[in-house]
Every structure is written in structure tokens, then in C-alpha cells.
Amino acid sequence: MPPIYQTSTYAQTTPGGHQGFEYSRTHNPTRQALEKSLASIEAGAFGFAFGSGLAAMDAVLKLLKPGDEIISTDDLYGGSYRLFTKIFEDFGLKFHFVPMHDVEQIKAKINDKTKLIWVETPTNPMMNIIDIQAVVELVKEKEVLVAVDNTFASSYLQQPLVMGADIVMHSATKYLAGHSDVVLGALVVNDDALAERIGFIQNASGAVCGPMDSFLTLRGIKTLHVRMQRHCENTATIAHFLKDHPSIEKVYWPGFESHPNHRIAKTQMKDYGGMLSFVTKGADYQAAIKIVERLKLFTLAESLGGVESLAGHPASMTHASIPKALREKSGVVDALIRLSVGIEDVRDLITDLEQAID
Ligand code: P1T
């Protein structure tokens, strides 16, 4: 097993006389092993590990300069929206938020200042699917980077670099680490010059992860494919159960043929993932709160992608930093519940939902 090099520094025989490691912000053997693994599972050339998913995003945004414009999906993790609007807008970056399942709306915002397109697919928490190849095609002749937040799908279900994206990003806190015991972020790229700039930012800004968390994420990645298969199977069963339930109004899951982006999900992803969201009958807020309070096997908690099932209330938890009007426009109403379906026996999960939903 890769050792956990729990060290901040490395002995030198003479100034500069070292074995490739000087200081752990710059390089650490355990982190380096993880970075190689990240690059490998994303079919990329260079991997970079950070202290969190948001730290990885922060490094991508530091590739840009004041005046540059970014087009982002309008339905995304609340913390990503907060980083864009509450931190980087103050440094002169301009963000356009558009519903990206409609490529025409992206096209309408592209101009000479556009430098980055930020794609999150499937989106958190509305499970919209964005056509990565169509986005790549839109900016093929331009100097615009396409970055894909691959957190919800994981590298097992979709590999954005293979589809032509420039940067893939993960909150490895989720499926990659997989056990709800690590906070960690990742970037993977193919281009040498881009890798050099990201490596420079990683070291110069310093938002790196520690060796123990690198080790845990490496261990998680070994079982990613097995876990994802079960996450997907369980989620499909639960999606159909909820769809047929008289107390549930709507279920958001890309595996349904009726899902507006089902066709793209089917070609772009190996399966439909371990996440779904649903709304109670009549969008009843009190009924939704009752359900999340009653669940026993599903734990009410932020985060996702671990082996144990979680339930979330996006409006008050993960997406509370998005203004209510904007949030509701993309479907994140107060009666929306998000499930991160774990790998438990699906019969136990259904029994839990049955007792929680009136
Ligand atoms: O939490 P962190 O590792 O910094 O990752 C941020 C992040 C980025 N992108 C997506 C799609 C995410 O879902 C997240 C984190 N999301 C949650 C904590 C959540 O419960 O949705």
C-alpha cells in the first residue's frame, strides 16, 4: 500500500540535493500517488489534488484575469455559486448564469471576453444533463476553456476530457473518496501548458490536501466502479418507487425516458448515477420536512456520494446561498428533497422511505 508520508519537509544532503521532494505544499509522495490515480481514472495526463472541491475550483478561476467572462450553468452547487459571485466577482470576473441544457442560451452569451465555460452535469440538485460535446463544439475555434464539474457522475460514469473538455473537476469528498470521511478536491487536464499553470497556482496559493486524506481518497478510488454500480441500481429502484407513490408530485432522475435530457444522459453516461431529487404532492413544504425528519436509514445531512444514504433539503442546506427567486427559477423549491442513495440493501432503503412518506 502507498505509505502515508506524514511529513512537511524532506532532508537534503546539500542545498538542492534532494530526491525530488523539498516541501509538502509543493510535492508529497502520497499526494503524488493520488494525483496519478486521478489523472488515470479521468483518462487525463495531469492530476492535481486540493484541500476541497471548492479549493480546486478556486485554482481554476485564478487562471483568469479581471474583465474575463465566465458562462456557468444556472443550476449548480450553492457553494460554487457563492465562490463565483461573492469572491471572484469582486476581483473583476463577470459570470453569466444560463440554463445550459439549452445550448442556444450559452451561444447567446459568448463574446470576445469569454474565457471559461463552467459545466456541472448532472446538476446539483435538479439532475439536468448538459451535453458536454455540444458545449465543446460551441467554442472549438475559440480560446475558451471548458471545465466540467464531474462530482455527481464520477469518473466511472463519464469522462469529460475524452469528450473534449479542457478541465475536469471533482469534489472528491463525494464518490471518489466515497465514505464521507474526507474533504478533498481534484483537477485533471491534458494540456502541458495548462497543467503547468495549475501546478503553479496549486503551489503558489497552497490549498493542498494532506497525506492522510490523499491516502483515504486513493483507497476509495479502488472501489469506485463497484460502489457506483450499486449506487446506480439502488437509485433506479428508488426513483421508480417514488414516481409511483401517490404522495410524490415529481421525481428528478435522468434515467426516466420522460426526463427532458434523457437521450443525452443515455449517450454521455454509462448509467444514471446515485442521486435523485423529488417534490412532495402539491409542493407541500411541511410534508417534505416531515419526511426528512422521519427518515431513519437515510441520514439528514449535507454532502453526498458516500456508501451510506443521505437525504438533504437543498433550499435550507446546500443551496441556501443562492437567492430564493433564482433558486426557485431552476426548480429548487422549498418542498424539494435530495437523496444520495447509498449502497445498502435497497429493500431497507425502500422500507425507510415507506415509513417516512405519508
Ligand atoms: O465540499 P467540497 O469538497 O468543497 O466540494 C464542493 C462541491 C463542488 N461541486 C459540487 C457539484 C458539489 O456537490 C460540491 C459539494 N456539495 C455538497 C456538499 C452537497 O451536499 O451538495
Side-chain angles (χ1 to χ4, degrees):
M1 291 300 110
I4 302 164
Y5 285 86
Q6 195 69 48
T7 182
S8 60
T9 192
Y10 308 84
Q12 306 192 14
T13 50
T14 185
H18 56 76
Q19 295 174 25
F21 297 93
E22 294 165 273
Y23 185 59
S24 280
R25 174 164 29 75
T26 320
H27 292 116
N28 173 282
T30 319
R31 194 178 91 219
Q32 197 173 71
L34 170 64
E35 290 174 332
K36 280 190 183 159
S37 170
L38 291 166
S40 155
I41 60 172
E42 282 294 349
F46 306 97
F48 300 90
F50 294 84
S52 70
L54 288 179
M57 289 180 70
D58 179 273
V60 173
L61 293 164
K62 284 173 178 162
L63 294 165
L64 308 180
K65 300 253 177 318
D68 289 349
E69 297 191 8
I70 299 97
I71 305 171
S72 164
T73 175
D74 65 347
D75 165 27
L76 77 170
Y77 171 53
S80 306
Y81 178 84
R82 184 178 56 200
L83 178 68
F84 291 166
T85 57
K86 295 286 196 308
I87 304 282
F88 281 97
E89 267 183 6
D90 284 349
F91 286 88
L93 298 186
K94 187 171 175 187
F95 294 86
H96 300 279
F97 295 94
V98 302
M100 281 204 173
H101 47 272
D102 178 3
V103 175
E104 290 306 312
Q105 299 214 34
I106 309 175
K107 209 171 177 176
K109 292 289 181 206
I110 296 176
N111 63 44
D112 291 347
K113 293 181 184 156
T114 310
K115 291 290 181 291
L116 175 69
I117 302 199
W118 189 264
V119 176
E120 185 183 297
T121 181
T123 61
N124 179 358
M126 295 312 298
M127 308 303 298
N128 286 308
I129 305 294
I130 298 161
D131 186 339
I132 297 172
Q133 258 165 339
V135 175
V136 166
E137 203 59 36
L138 263 187
V139 294
K140 212 166 75 182
E141 307 299 329
K142 301 184 171 70
E143 291 220 353
V144 177
L145 293 170
V146 175
V148 178
D149 183 336
N150 205 19
T151 300
F152 262 40
S154 89
S155 326
Y156 174 70
L157 296 181
Q158 126 191 321
Q159 290 176 310
L161 297 182
V162 176
M163 292 180 243
D166 302 289
I167 302 173
V168 58
M169 172 259 157
H170 280 275
S171 169
T173 313
K174 312 294 160 29
Y175 289 108
L176 299 192
H179 297 75
S180 305
D181 52 11
V182 175
V183 174
L184 196 140
L187 297 178
V188 182
V189 302
N190 266 323
D191 183 76
D192 291 26
L194 186 56
E196 202 178 316
R197 287 169 67 204
I198 290 173
F200 179 83
I201 293 167
Q202 183 193 38
N203 180 49
S205 284
V208 293
C209 53
M212 180 70 192
D213 288 349
S214 300
F215 172 86
L216 287 170
T217 306
L218 264 171
R219 186 165 72 172
I221 287 172
K222 292 182 199 192
T223 55
L224 177 68
H225 57 305
V226 184
R227 287 185 283 110
M228 287 315 295
Q229 282 171 6
R230 178 66 82 90
H231 282 298
C232 292
E233 263 173 47
N234 283 0
T235 308
T237 307
I238 289 172
H240 285 99
F241 164 79
L242 290 170
K243 196 179 187 199
D244 294 340
H245 200 292
S247 305
I248 302 304
E249 181 90 34
K250 188 155 174 52
V251 182
Y252 298 92
W253 178 63
F256 290 132
E257 276 185 25
S258 57
H259 184 288
N261 321 121
H262 175 71
R263 193 184 51 78
I264 296 157
K266 200 169 172 173
T267 49
Q268 180 165 286
M269 299 167 72
K270 198 176 271 170
D271 206 332
Y272 303 108
M275 299 296 297
L276 64 78
S277 296
F278 65 97
V279 174
T280 50
K281 190 107 240 140
D284 184 335
Y285 168 69
Q286 294 302 342
I289 296 303
K290 233 192 234 175
I291 293 170
V292 294
E293 284 176 352
R294 281 183 185 164
L295 285 168
K296 293 190 174 102
L297 193 50
F298 282 88
T299 302
L300 176 62
E302 306 226 2
S303 205
L304 60 113
V307 291
E308 287 105 351
S309 294
L310 300 179
H313 181 246
S316 68
M317 295 167 74
T318 48
H319 292 69
S321 51
I322 301 180
K324 189 174 165 77
L326 190 69
R327 187 170 17 95
E328 294 200 333
K329 217 170 107 193
S330 66
V332 187
V333 294
D334 289 346
L336 186 84
I337 295 172
R338 189 188 74 179
L339 297 182
S340 169
V341 179
I343 66 166
E344 301 93 336
D345 191 310
V346 75
R347 290 167 299 183
D348 292 336
L349 295 174
I350 297 275
T351 304
D352 194 25
L353 288 163
E354 272 170 344
Q355 65 81 27
I357 305 171
D358 273 331

